[in-house]
């Protein structure tokens, strides 16, 4: 594990710090300190500033509008943005800028890159991810959505679920079965599909937190051009696996920062409710603090492999299981501290629909109680806790494989 930064990235860190000091108000406390309308207005303006600076496309080659810098430069940028309490673009940029753009740079044709990358960077095209299905979530290779070639187009039939932000998007990248006779990890293709067409229906559904974020997406004879396959026909599983590794390094760098800031808010919450001298509460807060520190060192380990170009391994399952299970305990404690106040939420709920509330958020009952509900979903999305434990048991500990149906 190497936790040192070479001089060139330290110089870049100074550059980012100077940019943030110049761009943010002197009394800036984080985007979480703004009301909902002001926060969204700030986020839209902030995305434009990052794009103009080249920070949205930091590691892209220069011929596609990037700065051509290293993964470590990207990590430094994400660390400083998290510490300053500002976002990396808008929510759907996770799928467009981070996921799809990097996938196109690795697997896309020249025509796909030259057409889509500028539109992703400008925000003209917004993207969502069509992976999970009602019977193919954690076991993604069991997907049944199919695509059949018809002259110069693919015809798509099937259903996707848990599709984040689809009701706000123009395009979706879809895993579909293009060879039904092939073994389940083969015969899958990675397709780029426009959402604004008669054969696509997007149905949002409300989460128990009250937020609208996830969607069902139904394909009934939906169509996309034959050349909008990324990485080659029937090679979609390999492409999909490479996409899943894109966020690993950035999350390893930023998760510890966000969760540590949440623990600090938790301490203030205990003081606010007069529970900071309660020995049981103090012990539970100390447990949270120690777990957040362990997360930081686990992040360094993951970063070391990611920066060397290693493919996602068991440490990804360890990290996902660790932070999601930990977060349920932190938010449980917040609810216990607030007591009956938590049952009648007051103040602004989080803008985020995953992980912690935004930096600078008020210690309101609405912030904590909604985050408490969101934390439960963290043990389900991106691979359930049960599936992560199976992966670690079988691939790391060498225990007998679970019987397959």
């Amino acid at each position: 594990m190497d936790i040192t930064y070479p001089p060139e990235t330290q110089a870049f860190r100074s550059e980012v710090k100077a940019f943030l000091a110049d761009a943010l108000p002197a009394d800036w406390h984080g985007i979480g300190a703004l009301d909902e309308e002001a926060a969204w207005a700030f986020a839209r303006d902030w995305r434009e500033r990052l794009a103009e600076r080249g920070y949205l496309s930091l590691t892209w080659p220069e011929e596609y509008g990037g700065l051509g810098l290293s993964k470590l430069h990207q990590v430094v940028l994400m660390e400083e943005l998290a510490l300053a309490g500002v976002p990396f673009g808008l929510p759907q940029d996770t799928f467009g800028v981070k996921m799809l753009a990097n996938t196109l740079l690795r697997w896309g044709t020249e025509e796909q890159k030259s057409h889509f990358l500028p539109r992703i960077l400008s925000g003209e095209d917004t993207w969502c991810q069509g992976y999970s299905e009602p019977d193919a979530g954690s076991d993604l290779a069991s997907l049944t959505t199919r695509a059949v070639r018809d002259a110069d187009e693919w015809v798509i039939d099937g259903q996707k679920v848990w599709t984040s932000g689809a009701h706000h998007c123009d395009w979706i990248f879809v895993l579909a079965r293009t060879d039904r006779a092939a073994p389940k990890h083969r015969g899958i293709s990675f397709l780029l599909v426009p959402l604004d067409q008669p054969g696509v229906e997007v149905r949002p559904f409300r989460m128990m937190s009250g937020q609208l974020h996830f969607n069902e997406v139904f394909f009934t004879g939906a169509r996309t051009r034959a050349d909008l396959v990324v990485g080659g026909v029937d090679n979609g599983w390999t492409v999909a696996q490479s996409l899943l590794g894109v966020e690993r390094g950035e999350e390893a760098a930023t998760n510890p920062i966000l969760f540590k800031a949440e623990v600090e808010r938790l301490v203030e919450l205990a003081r606010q409710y007069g529970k900071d001298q309660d020995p049981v509460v103090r012990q539970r807060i100390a447990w949270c603090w120690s777990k957040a520190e362990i997360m930081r060192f686990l992040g360094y380990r993951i970063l070391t492999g990611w920066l060397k170009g290693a493919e996602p391994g068991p440490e990804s399952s360890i990290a996902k299981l660790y932070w999601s299970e930990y977060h349920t305990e932190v938010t449980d404690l917040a609810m216990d501290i607030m007591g009956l106040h938590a049952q009648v939420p007051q103040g602004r709920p989080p803008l985020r629909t995953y992980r912690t509330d935004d930096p600078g958020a008020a210690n309101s009952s609405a912030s904590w109680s909604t985050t408490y509900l969101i934390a439960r979903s963290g043990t389900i999305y991106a691979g359930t806790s049960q599936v992560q434990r199976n992966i670690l048991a079988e691939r790391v500990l060498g225990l007998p494989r679970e019987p397959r149906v």
Side-chain angles (χ1 to χ4, degrees):
M1 183 172 72
D2 185 359
I3 60 174
T4 61
Y5 289 87
E8 62 270 20
T9 51
Q10 291 297 72
F12 178 67
R13 188 184 297 278
S14 298
E15 174 194 317
V16 175
K17 284 179 177 291
F19 163 70
L20 292 169
D22 181 63
L24 297 173
D27 60 347
W28 178 255
H29 297 293
I31 191 172
L34 305 177
D35 63 40
E36 186 171 1
E37 184 178 351
W40 282 112
F42 173 85
R44 288 188 289 268
D45 177 71
W46 187 249
R47 187 194 191 279
E48 291 184 11
R49 292 193 182 199
L50 292 178
E52 291 171 0
R53 186 85 181 185
Y55 286 168
L56 283 186
S57 53
L58 193 71
T59 61
W60 298 13
E62 293 182 13
E63 60 265 34
Y64 299 116
L67 297 182
L69 298 179
S70 69
K71 287 181 178 180
L72 189 53
H73 286 87
Q74 182 75 24
V75 168
V76 168
L77 173 66
M78 299 304 290
E79 285 179 339
E80 292 303 322
L81 294 181
L83 288 167
V86 292
F88 179 81
L90 296 170
Q92 291 311 117
D93 285 322
T94 295
F95 302 102
V97 174
K98 291 185 182 179
M99 291 185 176
L100 181 60
N102 284 289
T103 301
L104 289 174
L105 287 168
R106 179 172 178 179
W107 296 99
T109 65
E110 191 56 45
E111 291 76 14
Q112 291 168 350
K113 294 175 190 176
S114 60
H115 176 77
F116 286 110
L117 290 176
R119 298 169 69 90
I120 291 172
L121 194 55
S122 68
E124 185 174 355
D125 288 344
T126 52
W127 289 83
C128 56
Q129 180 183 34
Y131 274 25
S132 294
E133 299 182 5
D135 294 316
S138 298
D139 184 15
L140 183 58
S142 296
L143 63 89
T144 58
T145 295
R146 64 186 183 276
V148 178
R149 183 72 179 264
D150 179 24
D152 293 332
E153 294 182 311
W154 292 98
V155 181
I156 305 164
D157 291 279
Q159 179 188 355
K160 298 294 179 179
V161 73
W162 312 121
T163 310
S164 301
H167 53 309
H168 296 309
C169 293
D170 312 303
W171 287 79
I172 182 171
F173 48 90
V174 175
L175 287 183
R177 198 163 294 283
T178 45
D179 183 354
R180 300 176 71 181
K184 72 174 190 177
H185 287 86
R186 302 177 186 176
I188 296 172
S189 297
F190 188 105
L191 304 173
L192 309 179
V193 182
L195 285 173
D196 186 13
Q197 58 170 302
V200 178
E201 181 185 0
V202 178
R203 297 182 190 171
F205 52 84
R206 195 169 298 279
M207 301 159 59
M208 66 178 179
S209 64
Q211 297 161 307
L212 285 174
H213 179 63
F214 292 124
N215 300 266
E216 296 176 287
V217 182
F218 296 87
F219 302 97
T220 309
R223 292 177 175 267
T224 194
R225 296 203 319 263
D227 62 335
L228 295 185
V229 178
V230 179
V233 176
D234 297 338
N235 192 44
W237 186 254
T238 302
V239 177
Q241 291 301 106
S242 70
L243 181 146
L244 292 174
V246 166
E247 283 194 295
R248 182 170 57 136
E250 293 177 6
E251 286 189 0
T254 58
N255 268 355
I257 294 171
L258 296 176
F259 284 117
K260 183 66 177 297
E262 187 179 58
V263 173
E264 292 170 355
R265 288 181 61 222
L266 187 67
V267 172
E268 290 303 316
L269 186 74
R271 290 176 178 151
Q272 181 179 324
Y273 281 84
K275 301 286 184 68
D276 55 315
Q277 298 303 313
D278 183 308
V280 176
V281 170
R282 289 169 68 89
Q283 183 179 29
R284 291 173 69 185
I285 289 175
W287 181 91
C288 294
W289 183 90
S290 67
K291 291 295 183 181
E293 282 296 288
I294 292 170
M295 191 188 305
R296 179 163 66 93
F297 288 104
L298 177 59
Y300 287 142
R301 179 182 177 186
I302 294 171
L303 276 174
T304 299
W306 183 73
L307 293 170
K308 292 178 180 178
E311 292 297 322
E315 64 273 10
S316 296
S317 291
I318 293 171
K320 169 57 172 62
L321 180 64
Y322 186 96
W323 72 253
S324 60
E325 296 280 332
Y326 156 83
H327 203 211
T328 63
E329 297 291 334
V330 173
T331 53
D332 274 345
L333 175 53
M335 297 293 280
D336 288 346
I337 289 172
M338 293 186 295
L340 291 176
H341 293 277
Q343 306 305 311
V344 188
Q346 299 290 322
R348 194 208 74 186
L351 299 177
R352 289 170 171 256
T353 53
Y354 59 96
R355 295 186 179 87
T356 68
D357 199 347
D358 284 301
N363 255 335
S364 68
S365 53
S367 171
W368 280 107
S369 61
T370 308
T371 303
Y372 165 82
L373 297 175
I374 291 171
R376 270 66 199 153
S377 68
T379 63
I380 300 171
Y381 65 72
T384 66
S385 292
Q386 292 80 4
V387 167
Q388 302 303 334
R389 287 188 172 95
N390 276 354
I391 291 171
L392 295 172
E394 294 173 5
R395 299 182 188 178
V396 179
L397 301 179
L399 297 178
R401 293 178 63 85
E402 182 181 13
R404 299 300 195 258
V405 177

